[in-house]
Amino acid sequence: MPPPGGRLGPGYLTDEEKKNRPKVTKALLKRIFSYMKPYWKQFGLVLLAILFSSVMTLMPSVLTGKIIDEGLIARSMSSLVKYIILSFVVTFAANLIGILESYLNTWIAQHITFDMRNTMYKHLQKMSQRFFTTNNQGDIITRMTSDISGVQQIITSTLTSIISNSITLVVALVVMFRENWILALIGVIIVPLFTIPTRSAGKTRWSITKESQACSDEINGILNETMSVSGQLLVKLFGMEEKEYSRYEAVNKKMINLNIRESMAGRWFRMALNTFTNIGPMLIYLVGGIIMMKYDSTVTVGQITVLVALLGKMYGPVNQLLNIQVDWIRSMAMFTRIFEYYDMPVEIENSPDAIIPDHADGEVEFRHVRFYYEPDREILKDISFELEKGKCIAIVGPSGSGKSTLINLIPRMYDAIDGEVLFDGVNVKDLDLAFLRENIGIVSQETYLFNGTIRDNLLYAKPDATDEELINACKQANIYEFIENQETGLDTVVGNRGLKLSGGEKQRISIARILLKDPALMIFDEATSALDSISEQKIQDAIEPLIESRTSILIAHRLSTILAADEILVVKDGEIVERGTHSDLIDDGGVYAQLYETQFSKAAVKGEEKFEYTEGEDME
Ligand code: ATP
């Protein structure tokens, strides 16, 4: 993989980069160009600025010759002062233009990255749950941040470096050859010699940098895992502090060694460069001196000085231009990777002629629905059921039987592989996505709250809700008492992912949030995690009136919740094995009855009215 953005390496490609050399097609270039096109005026200005500043930075070198020949050697005070002032003015102007150039450059680069980041964010928002469950969160963030930042560097450095270095080089060569062709020729032969140590030192340095990047990623990984709320909890509960510390210390140690090596590689690199840059001028002085003293007395000291000065200005550009091809390939790879993300198909998309009904009843029907995450493991097999307006279905079944998967198909978090999911009689794939999701409210097992206040979290469902509405919803969700007892009331901060609240409190806040949303279909994925009986009762009291008044689906674990439903679906291994009311199912004496006998009565003895399955438990 090419190095992450913002850290373009020196002038050679790694084996992997060579292997994955991007195909630079006309279409790719056109696509890259399309991001630059809106800023063509600014690009034009940059070009002009580069042109001026590159020529002007060379001027003082040329003027040095005049200062020596016409000022110092000719002993003319006026010429001396004139050229010195001119030199000063030109340098000043060149730097001034340089500032303008870098401002424009940064401006363009920032705007292009801004556009690209926004496009990426918007695109990723459309990606399905599958994308987010399959892709590592870190990878997504890396593409969003470093990869796109890499683009910034391409524009501010690669692109301008090609232009400015070429100009500097051409102008320097023309002036040198005009001054003295023999000395210029020597210069041309010498310059490539300087680039050899630069390149080989750069190679070593780069391989160390890569190692330290990997090391730094590892450190970040450890920090991410162990310095998070849940991670720390796990570390503490399993008493792994020492082990985690030594893991961290070991990587940290590796990192400092790499840093020391990297810094030393830099030293050698500078030493080599210094030696060579010192030898170059000496060679010109020597050959220039020989020519001047033995063969051609018209050659002046000033000319020799100009050549030495211009030679000095050529190292940088030659070196950079030699690296350009690599930068170019790397840039193309970076763009290719960004575009790869852009081109990822949107799995769940609004159909072009999506239907937007004027109201929703929340009716649901599954017709022979099949679903899998991975083709080799079917999760739902031929699921069919119907939920009428105002009715309530309870889904029960062992953990992993596919209950959450089933309800995720209704708001199209995933699409059924086969069969149809209908909402109010219309296939969900034909309905407007926004309409569909607006009319479905899910209180999931894992309640997610953003880090903010209770109010912020509630307003997420209805941004324009009044305080009265918020309080009403909280009262109905049985959480108002808790909020009232907080010093800051609705403005109480819930903490990172709501972790400052208990599981039951979070769930009741999420019920209040759903109440504000007021959906036609209400789905409640009852938490399997143990809540104390008071919390459970409070949640129960909150959801019961909800079920009464609207179409709802409950993934139920508590008997009282199950009893509140009009129909019970027993799901096992992705199939509905039984259906009916509680009394029907008990009478049938099947799986449900058995479950009721073994699980519920056991729990009832312990005083927990909980319909709980233990993992791997067989229901037959
Ligand atoms: P529980 O009662 O424990 O919540 P459940 O009945 O809701 O369980 P699901 O969450 O629907 O079960 O999971 C059904 C099966 O699908 C499980 O075996 C699970 O491992 C698998 N599964 C769930 N989500 C994914 C996913 N995103 N990718 C791949 N497999 C998944």
Side-chain angles (χ1 to χ4, degrees):
M1 201 173 78
R7 290 190 273 187
L8 292 182
Y12 87 106
L13 292 172
T14 62
D15 294 340
E16 212 165 336
E17 281 176 310
K18 277 184 200 149
K19 222 168 45 200
N20 300 327
R21 205 180 263 245
K23 253 201 218 134
V24 182
T25 58
K26 228 172 146 182
L28 176 70
L29 292 176
K30 227 171 137 182
R31 196 163 176 190
I32 296 173
F33 186 67
S34 73
Y35 283 92
M36 307 188 173
K37 212 169 156 194
Y39 306 108
W40 69 271
K41 280 185 199 148
Q42 287 84 346
F43 267 117
L45 272 178
V46 169
L47 199 68
L48 270 179
I50 292 175
L51 202 79
F52 275 111
S53 72
S54 344
V55 173
M56 279 180 174
T57 32
L58 290 178
M59 287 284 282
S61 308
V62 179
L63 289 172
T64 315
K66 303 250 180 231
I67 289 171
I68 291 171
D69 287 343
E70 294 175 30
L72 296 175
I73 294 178
R75 297 183 182 269
S76 157
M77 201 58 199
S78 61
S79 297
L80 182 68
V81 173
K82 184 175 85 182
Y83 289 125
I84 287 176
I85 292 177
L86 199 60
S87 222
F88 174 77
V89 171
V90 170
T91 310
F92 184 73
N95 281 309
L96 215 62
I97 296 175
I99 291 175
L100 175 78
E101 180 209 317
S102 53
Y103 168 74
L104 278 171
N105 239 328
T106 316
W107 188 93
I108 299 172
Q110 288 295 338
H111 278 75
I112 293 177
T113 10
F114 171 80
D115 296 343
M116 293 188 96
R117 280 216 174 99
N118 290 347
T119 313
M120 180 86 98
Y121 191 87
K122 206 160 198 161
H123 184 67
L124 291 186
Q125 268 192 330
K126 287 193 208 143
M127 298 318 279
S128 72
Q129 283 298 96
R130 192 190 307 280
F131 172 83
F132 293 100
T133 45
T134 324
N135 286 286
N136 187 319
Q137 203 180 356
D139 284 351
I140 302 175
I141 293 173
T142 303
R143 299 238 182 180
M144 277 296 282
T145 53
S146 353
D147 274 5
I148 299 191
S149 302
V151 167
Q152 197 170 310
Q153 186 171 349
I154 293 163
I155 295 158
T156 48
S157 93
T158 313
L159 222 56
T160 48
S161 129
I162 297 179
I163 304 168
S164 75
N165 289 326
S166 311
I167 296 173
T168 311
L169 216 58
V170 169
V171 176
L173 278 174
V174 169
V175 177
M176 280 169 86
F177 275 92
R178 272 191 47 200
E179 292 283 332
N180 187 308
W181 69 270
I182 300 176
L183 293 182
L185 214 58
I186 293 175
V188 172
I189 296 165
I190 291 170
V191 168
L193 287 179
F194 299 121
T195 57
I196 297 165
T198 316
R199 285 167 76 82
S200 81
K203 231 177 192 180
T204 326
R205 195 168 185 187
W206 179 235
S207 74
I208 303 173
T209 310
K210 261 191 61 183
E211 257 183 82
S212 76
Q213 267 173 30
C215 205
S216 134
D217 290 346
E218 202 177 333
I219 290 184
N220 285 343
I222 295 180
L223 288 179
N224 241 331
E225 271 179 19
T226 58
M227 286 291 136
S228 64
V229 180
S230 335
Q232 260 305 303
L233 196 70
L234 202 70
V235 170
K236 289 201 172 92
L237 288 178
F238 284 88
M240 294 298 262
E241 286 96 337
E242 272 307 312
K243 194 159 173 233
E244 290 300 346
Y245 175 73
S246 16
R247 189 158 75 112
Y248 179 72
E249 197 198 18
V251 192
N252 219 353
K253 181 96 195 250
K254 199 164 126 196
M255 185 81 189
I256 58 161
N257 286 335
L258 283 170
N259 284 346
I260 293 170
R261 271 177 58 204
E262 187 176 353
S263 144
M264 283 327 282
R267 266 315 292 142
W268 290 112
F269 165 71
R270 278 201 294 278
M271 193 199 92
L273 196 70
N274 283 342
T275 315
F276 276 87
T277 37
N278 281 330
I279 290 171
M282 295 309 149
L283 265 174
I284 301 251
Y285 281 132
L286 180 68
V287 180
I290 293 171
I291 295 173
M292 186 175 83
M293 288 179 232
K294 301 224 156 161
Y295 303 101
D296 184 358
S297 55
T298 57
V299 172
T300 65
V301 177
Q303 276 180 331
I304 298 174
T305 321
V306 170
L307 279 155
V308 169
L310 286 176
L311 192 72
K313 300 255 173 190
M314 278 168 72
Y315 305 137
V318 167
N319 207 9
Q320 284 177 32
L321 282 177
L322 282 173
N323 288 343
I324 282 296
Q325 189 221 1
V326 171
D327 277 356
W328 170 259
I329 291 172
R330 215 164 261 161
S331 312
M332 290 302 126
M334 209 170 278
F335 272 113
T336 313
R337 269 183 324 149
I338 294 169
F339 292 152
E340 230 172 60
Y341 248 41
Y342 281 174
D343 292 340
M344 246 176 319
V346 177
E347 202 183 326
I348 311 258
E349 220 170 354
N350 223 4
S351 119
D353 35 30
I355 303 166
I356 312 179
D358 45 18
H359 85 286
D361 293 329
E363 289 188 343
V364 175
E365 188 184 346
F366 273 56
R367 284 188 196 155
H368 306 291
V369 170
R370 280 180 53 236
F371 181 80
Y372 51 72
Y373 294 103
E374 307 294 341
D376 55 357
R377 197 175 145 223
E378 205 165 36
I379 305 291
L380 298 179
K381 308 161 189 161
D382 196 25
I383 297 277
S384 295
F385 70 90
E386 227 176 301
L387 169 66
E388 283 168 21
K389 184 183 175 181
K391 296 274 185 232
C392 172
I393 278 185
I395 302 177
V396 297
S399 175
S401 56
K403 304 182 295 292
S404 307
T405 306
L406 189 152
I407 57 161
N408 274 334
L409 300 185
I410 309 173
R412 287 189 78 195
M413 289 302 147
Y414 295 93
D415 274 338
I417 303 292
D418 213 0
E420 281 180 299
V421 177
L422 304 135
F423 186 82
D424 284 350
V426 184
N427 191 323
V428 284
K429 289 182 187 168
D430 300 326
L431 272 177
D432 180 64
L433 255 185
F435 169 85
L436 179 73
R437 293 181 180 164
E438 207 176 282
N439 284 294
I440 299 174
I442 300 188
V443 178
S444 52
Q445 263 190 41
E446 271 199 41
T447 316
Y448 193 89
L449 298 181
F450 288 109
N451 191 1
T453 62
I454 296 180
R455 183 196 303 277
D456 295 337
N457 275 289
L458 291 175
L459 288 178
Y460 204 69
K462 192 177 180 195
D464 57 350
T466 60
D467 265 15
E468 204 185 331
E469 285 177 283
L470 295 186
I471 292 171
N472 252 337
C474 290
K475 278 185 181 156
Q476 281 184 60
N478 247 337
I479 186 70
Y480 192 61
E481 207 180 309
F482 165 79
I483 295 173
E484 254 187 337
N485 285 333
Q486 301 297 307
E487 228 168 85
T488 38
L490 279 171
D491 295 314
T492 306
V493 174
V494 300
N496 198 1
R497 304 183 63 188
L499 287 170
K500 283 189 183 170
L501 304 178
S502 78
E505 285 152 7
K506 268 195 297 185
Q507 201 148 47
R508 279 178 286 147
I509 290 182
S510 76
I511 294 175
R513 187 163 60 180
I514 292 299
L515 279 168
L516 284 163
K517 189 179 175 184
D518 194 22
L521 172 69
M522 161 79 199
I523 299 172
F524 192 83
D525 196 347
E526 198 169 48
T528 36
S529 54
L531 290 175
D532 63 75
S533 47
I534 301 177
S535 285
E536 287 211 353
Q537 194 53 52
K538 282 185 176 161
I539 291 173
Q540 197 62 38
D541 293 346
I543 57 167
E544 248 156 42
L546 283 181
I547 306 168
E548 289 287 307
S549 58
R550 65 190 84 204
T551 327
S552 45
I553 299 179
L554 308 168
I555 295 181
H557 300 284
R558 285 174 54 90
L559 183 70
S560 48
T561 319
I562 297 169
L563 291 180
D566 299 295
E567 190 185 13
I568 299 161
L569 304 182
V570 185
V571 177
K572 197 196 160 203
D573 293 337
E575 277 175 297
I576 299 179
V577 287
E578 271 173 34
R579 64 175 70 192
T581 61
H582 174 75
S583 49
D584 288 347
L585 292 177
I586 293 289
D587 289 346
D588 287 351
V591 177
Y592 181 85
Q594 216 172 346
L595 258 174
Y596 176 74
E597 279 300 315
T598 53
Q599 302 297 324
F600 178 64
S601 20
K602 239 195 289 178
V605 173
K606 286 193 271 170
E608 300 163 8
E609 279 202 346
K610 199 129 182 216
F611 215 168
E612 185 77 83
Y613 308 88
T614 45
E615 215 158 315
E617 191 142 14
D618 216 329
M619 299 203 304
E620 273 93 6

